[in-house]
Amino acid sequence: MMRRLIGQLPNWARAEHPVLRYELGRSARPPLRVRLLRAFLVVVIGLVLLGGSYLIATDLLRQPLPTGLTAPLNEILFWPLLAVQVIMGAMALTLTANVVGDEIRRQTWDNLRATESGAELTLRARWALVFYRVRGLLALIIVLRVVLIVGILYDLTAFEGRYLSLLITGIEPTIPEWLGVLMVSFLMTSALLLPLTAVGFDASLGLWISAVIQQRTYSTLVQGLFILIRIGITAGLLWFTTQWLVVGSLPATDVGSWALLFGYGAIGDWGLAFLNLQRYSDIWTLVPYGIFLGAALLLFALVQAAVADQVLVLAVRRAQRRG
């Protein structure tokens, strides 16, 4: 999967490939009135989410926003982006979870299996199709994360460019400034990669479900269960992290704190909360080796991409044996 992110796309993932072009052309483009209505609803929902997030950030207008550039931006954008990420993850799973069953019901699956690489190309095309289907949400997430990253870069110019040196003073372990710059860059990179690898993993997981369970009723139940588990894990990690970092009522060892923050960044919000330099630098002070969380998240993104590839391969093999 990483080769597809940083290199040339394989033929089956390109829009001009016959199989993917066929999948893209299956759904008719809705009328202009429907598209305008959807756009209006998206704008309204976005404004509601932003307004609600602003009220949360200001404690119902009882306190001002944090100072600086990235801190208030992150506070306002956090909840809307988190909601969009949860929705996108659910979409990635559900878009592929009925692929094999749908082809069997159309009575085309046997023909695909009989054709050389027919079943494999179909599943891989449906995996790639997910990125086309969620490209709007994915672009929104990436663009807003880039905005937060630009804010971090701007904040780092404070104190005549010595702001990072001040932030890493007194943290454990003591590191040179160049290593601090590298760790922050790892965080930024992982924050941009994690949404992509998470979508790829969810799409692969959906294909695996479709290869194992063809009955739509059972498949829907399993999808719902996976989505509820994902939401529960995200909510749980968010609650525990908030109790530890903000409220301070959750006792934890240094190792436990580091593991909690890593799990939250990797699975909970895909590193979104760490794109707040004030909060992230506080973590460096509170948690030994906390500055290396960015490197750990980048490694997790690479591993997640590799796992997504393997799950996709397993789904293809399992589906080819189903009739």
Side-chain angles (χ1 to χ4, degrees):
M1 180 178 174
M2 288 308 302
R3 291 194 301 271
R4 296 160 206 155
L5 295 177
I6 62 178
Q8 191 176 22
L9 288 174
N11 289 331
W12 52 264
R14 299 178 186 176
E16 62 269 18
H17 190 275
V19 178
L20 184 54
R21 187 169 66 247
Y22 169 74
E23 296 292 345
L24 287 169
R26 269 187 175 183
S27 56
R29 191 178 185 185
L32 177 61
R33 183 172 57 183
V34 175
R35 298 201 303 272
L36 291 176
L37 178 60
R38 288 179 180 176
F40 174 75
L41 290 176
V42 168
V43 171
V44 171
I45 294 173
L47 291 175
V48 170
L49 288 174
L50 285 173
S53 185
Y54 182 82
L55 292 176
I56 294 174
T58 59
D59 192 18
L60 299 178
L61 305 179
R62 288 194 291 263
Q63 64 183 26
L65 287 171
T67 58
L69 181 59
T70 57
L73 267 178
N74 192 287
E75 293 286 345
I76 294 173
L77 295 177
F78 178 81
W79 292 106
L81 271 178
L82 185 62
V84 171
Q85 290 173 185
V86 171
I87 293 171
M88 186 177 67
M91 288 179 61
L93 179 71
T94 56
L95 282 171
T96 57
N98 292 307
V99 172
V100 177
D102 288 345
E103 295 295 341
I104 291 176
R105 281 184 285 275
R106 294 192 191 101
Q107 298 182 348
T108 58
W109 185 244
D110 288 337
N111 293 333
L112 290 173
R113 291 174 62 214
T115 306
E116 183 179 1
S117 302
E120 179 181 0
L121 284 175
T122 298
L123 294 185
R124 289 187 178 275
R126 291 297 292 268
W127 182 88
L129 182 66
V130 171
F131 287 89
Y132 288 91
R133 291 285 185 251
V134 303
R135 63 185 181 275
L137 296 179
L138 192 56
L140 176 65
I141 290 171
I142 297 298
V143 167
L144 291 180
R145 284 170 178 252
V146 169
V147 170
L148 293 173
I149 288 173
V150 171
I152 290 177
L153 295 175
Y154 177 80
D155 285 344
L156 289 175
T157 62
F159 299 99
E160 299 180 350
R162 297 179 55 251
Y163 190 37
L164 183 60
S165 298
L166 298 175
L167 292 178
I168 63 176
T169 300
I171 69 171
E172 184 182 342
T174 302
I175 61 172
E177 185 177 359
W178 67 266
L179 185 56
V181 172
L182 186 62
M183 292 301 106
V184 173
S185 66
F186 282 166
L187 171 70
M188 297 175 182
T189 305
S190 65
L192 296 178
L193 284 180
L194 281 169
L196 298 169
T197 58
V199 169
F201 177 80
D202 287 335
S204 296
L205 183 60
L207 284 175
W208 182 81
I209 292 174
S210 76
V212 175
I213 306 172
Q214 281 80 53
Q215 293 84 357
R216 181 174 289 274
T217 301
Y218 296 142
S219 176
T220 302
L221 290 174
V222 172
Q223 293 172 54
L225 179 62
F226 270 100
I227 292 172
L228 287 176
I229 291 174
R230 174 66 59 82
I231 294 175
I233 291 174
T234 300
L237 288 170
L238 176 61
W239 186 84
F240 281 113
T241 303
T242 302
Q243 293 300 308
W244 179 84
L245 186 61
V246 179
V247 181
S249 62
L250 184 67
T253 63
D254 291 339
V255 175
S257 300
W258 198 96
L260 172 63
L261 292 168
F262 169 73
Y264 174 65
I267 303 173
D269 70 356
W270 306 339
L272 176 61
F274 297 158
L275 294 179
N276 178 341
L277 194 57
Q278 291 183 11
R279 180 186 296 121
Y280 194 42
S281 60
D282 288 342
I283 291 173
W284 303 346
T285 305
L286 295 171
V287 183
Y289 296 89
I291 196 169
F292 294 104
L293 281 169
L297 290 178
L298 180 57
L299 179 61
F300 176 84
L302 299 177
V303 171
Q304 188 177 48
V307 172
D309 272 338
Q310 292 306 309
V311 173
L312 177 57
V313 170
L314 290 175
V316 170
R317 291 176 180 173
R318 182 64 182 264
Q320 287 174 333
R321 295 197 298 265
R322 306 293 291 190

